[in-house]
Amino acid sequence: MSTSGLPSLPAVPVPGRPGVAAPLRDALLAASFTADGLLELLGAPAYAALARSEIVPALRATRGDTPLEVLVRLFLLQQPVPHARVEAVLPLDACLESGWLVAAGGDEVAATVDVRPYGGPDGEDWFIVSDLGCAVGGAGGIGSREEGVVLGVGGASTTLAGITVRRPVAAALDLGTGSGIQALHAAQHATRVTATDLNPRALHIAALTLALSGAPAADLREGSLFEPVRDDEKFDLIVSNPPFVISPGARLTYRDGGMGGDDLCRSIVQGAGERLNEGGFAQFLANWQHVEGEDWQDRVRSWVPRGCDAWIVQREVQDTTQYAELWLRDAGDHRADPAEYQARYDAWLDEFEARKVKAVGFGWITLRRTGAAVPSVTVEEWPHPVEQPLGETVRAHFERLDYLRAHDDASLLTGHFRLVTEVVQEQVGLPGAEDPEHVVLRQNRGMRRATKVDTVGAGFAGVCDGSLSAGRILDAIAQLVGEDPVLLRDRTPAQIRLLVEQGFIEPA
């Protein structure tokens, strides 16, 4: 991931200049330059268009001279604004001196970076800094202009932030921090945050994001992934939205990891285990290859380091043509000379053909360091809608693993369980039939799973309120259906175990 494009990129503000970030933040907040303020000013359609890097609706909505309109045109729409208007809203001299603004023409000033309001999980007003025109990650050619460009918040960024387990920890590590959004989230619950990036410009901009958001400074280290981390350093949380795109060449720093195939994602996952404290989590977004003659689940399962539980969820699969087209468009190559576009497309397909890759999967990988003799590795495909944030759902998944590991079938029957809130039952069968063909339990929260159960499983789940042991509930069901209670006790623990594992019932 070369940074040879950096000299042609504009200079960015000085993050360590004392007395600038705080008054600038105060001025932005005073003008309601926040996520809520933008939505109120622009309206939903123009606000949504900004997320697609379309600025015309927002330009039309900011024709006035209010402080908020001035800031939107300056920092989001990259429009020069008259000196006098900015001076009435911002500490202008300090912003010019520190490099947040530059003179643009006789009586106008312009922003040197994109500053986008971002709402934190508990209502915090944060600001994500990125290169001009790059507030939205990968929006149709943003990355094609300069190799060292630093993007802002994209869908992948918010997905990772949403699935991350949030709990007080001593030390967190953000690999490939980019504009600093994951470090910003981690700073709210970690005593110490370390962030690495191969691109020095990204570290500079991440420092701006943290300072302008009023967050504690992070320990920012230049280098690729784990390289800047000492061998003796351990963390309670590791997160990474790495440059995981599988491409025939590392043209774009923000996207391509410079390793062949999915080796970058594999190396990150394998390297995380030894750097986690006991009970610590490592969470990543990743791509993986679907190779002819190989089970993709076996492939990603082989990445899991020793001593770690893992939960790997494949969210999407694209064939090689779809995948190549997606990332060629992301880089703006579809706007290039047709012959050049076709040559690049051909190179992608050549690469996949040489590796016998038929498709590429995308998903989430969560590791947890465990002392268990036999760690648990769950690999599944779940392309269905989920409810973000999922951090608490992820944490609960691993807690249930601990419970099931510690309880054999006999112990399960003595346990007490509760039906998880917002689980509903659906009966499926022919109209007018006396009995349903099958019963489905469905979650309305978290992963929003659905699972088919028999009448005993449905009856068991419906009665679980924590008051009776599982064995006593089964004895009562056996009496109702006229079944031998011993046989019912023998065959039902597997179903109870599945209901616990998938989060339909929980220990009381």
Side-chain angles (χ1 to χ4, degrees), residues 2-353:
S2 168
T3 57
S4 59
L6 284 177
S8 60
L9 289 167
V12 293
V14 180
R17 187 68 58 84
V20 178
L24 176 55
R25 172 179 169 81
D26 290 343
L28 298 178
L29 294 176
S32 297
F33 187 66
T34 63
D36 289 341
L38 288 185
L39 181 59
E40 183 176 349
L41 170 68
L42 302 177
Y47 189 73
L50 272 182
R52 303 189 298 270
S53 288
E54 296 290 350
I55 67 171
V56 172
L59 283 170
R60 294 173 60 86
T62 55
R63 292 169 172 166
D65 292 332
T66 67
L68 181 54
E69 288 170 302
V70 168
L71 293 175
V72 171
R73 293 178 73 85
L74 188 65
F75 285 119
L76 290 187
L77 308 182
Q78 284 84 60
Q79 303 297 306
V81 177
H83 187 286
R85 292 183 185 174
V86 177
E87 191 171 31
V89 181
L90 298 177
L92 183 56
D93 290 341
C95 288
L96 287 167
E97 181 184 358
S98 59
W100 288 93
L101 303 175
V102 293
D107 64 345
E108 292 182 322
V109 296
T112 59
V113 288
D114 194 305
V115 177
R116 181 153 304 214
Y118 176 81
D122 296 317
E124 302 96 339
D125 289 315
W126 292 339
F127 301 97
I128 308 301
V129 181
S130 62
D131 274 311
L132 290 174
C134 299
V136 181
I142 282 172
S144 65
R145 299 177 306 177
E146 299 292 348
E147 186 180 344
V149 75
V150 180
L151 304 187
V153 179
S157 302
T158 55
T159 294
L160 178 59
I163 68 172
T164 300
V165 175
R166 303 295 175 193
R167 55 179 185 155
V169 296
L173 172 63
D174 177 16
L175 295 176
T177 189
S179 60
I181 180 174
Q182 307 305 331
L184 177 58
H185 276 278
Q188 311 309 305
H189 61 98
T191 302
R192 176 172 56 88
V193 176
T194 302
T196 71
D197 206 290
L198 183 60
N199 183 359
R201 187 178 182 87
L203 296 175
H204 197 115
I205 285 181
L208 297 174
T209 291
L210 293 167
L212 195 57
S213 298
D219 180 3
L220 303 172
R221 304 182 190 177
E222 183 179 343
S224 179
L225 303 174
F226 291 111
E227 286 178 3
V229 179
R230 298 191 312 272
D231 291 341
D232 62 343
E233 285 185 283
K234 304 286 186 181
F235 300 91
D236 307 295
L237 175 67
I238 301 174
V239 292
S240 184
N241 174 22
F244 52 67
V245 177
I246 300 170
S247 72
R251 286 197 302 129
L252 304 175
T253 302
Y254 82 90
R255 189 191 74 179
D256 306 310
M259 296 186 188
D262 50 18
D263 286 350
L264 176 81
C265 293
R266 175 185 53 80
S267 64
I268 292 173
V269 175
Q270 291 181 338
E274 63 186 5
R275 293 172 173 88
L276 282 174
N277 286 319
E278 186 77 16
F281 286 92
Q283 299 186 260
F284 316 106
L285 302 185
N287 274 176
W288 42 79
Q289 298 173 147
H290 287 224
V291 179
E292 292 180 17
E294 176 184 276
D295 187 328
W296 72 267
Q297 294 195 3
D298 291 340
R299 184 180 189 85
V300 293
R301 188 179 283 110
S302 72
W303 295 358
V304 177
R306 295 179 60 184
C308 287
D309 292 324
W311 184 19
I312 301 170
V313 182
Q314 180 167 273
R315 295 287 291 157
E316 185 179 2
V317 180
Q318 291 184 319
D319 64 48
T320 54
T321 60
Q322 291 174 310
Y323 188 81
E325 290 165 15
L326 169 67
W327 293 108
L328 287 167
R329 288 182 173 273
D330 175 89
D333 291 332
H334 61 301
R335 300 188 185 123
D337 175 74
E340 186 177 349
Y341 171 76
Q342 291 175 14
R344 286 179 174 168
Y345 196 155
D346 217 22
W348 281 65
L349 297 186
D350 283 345
E351 176 83 2
F352 286 132
E353 185 176 331

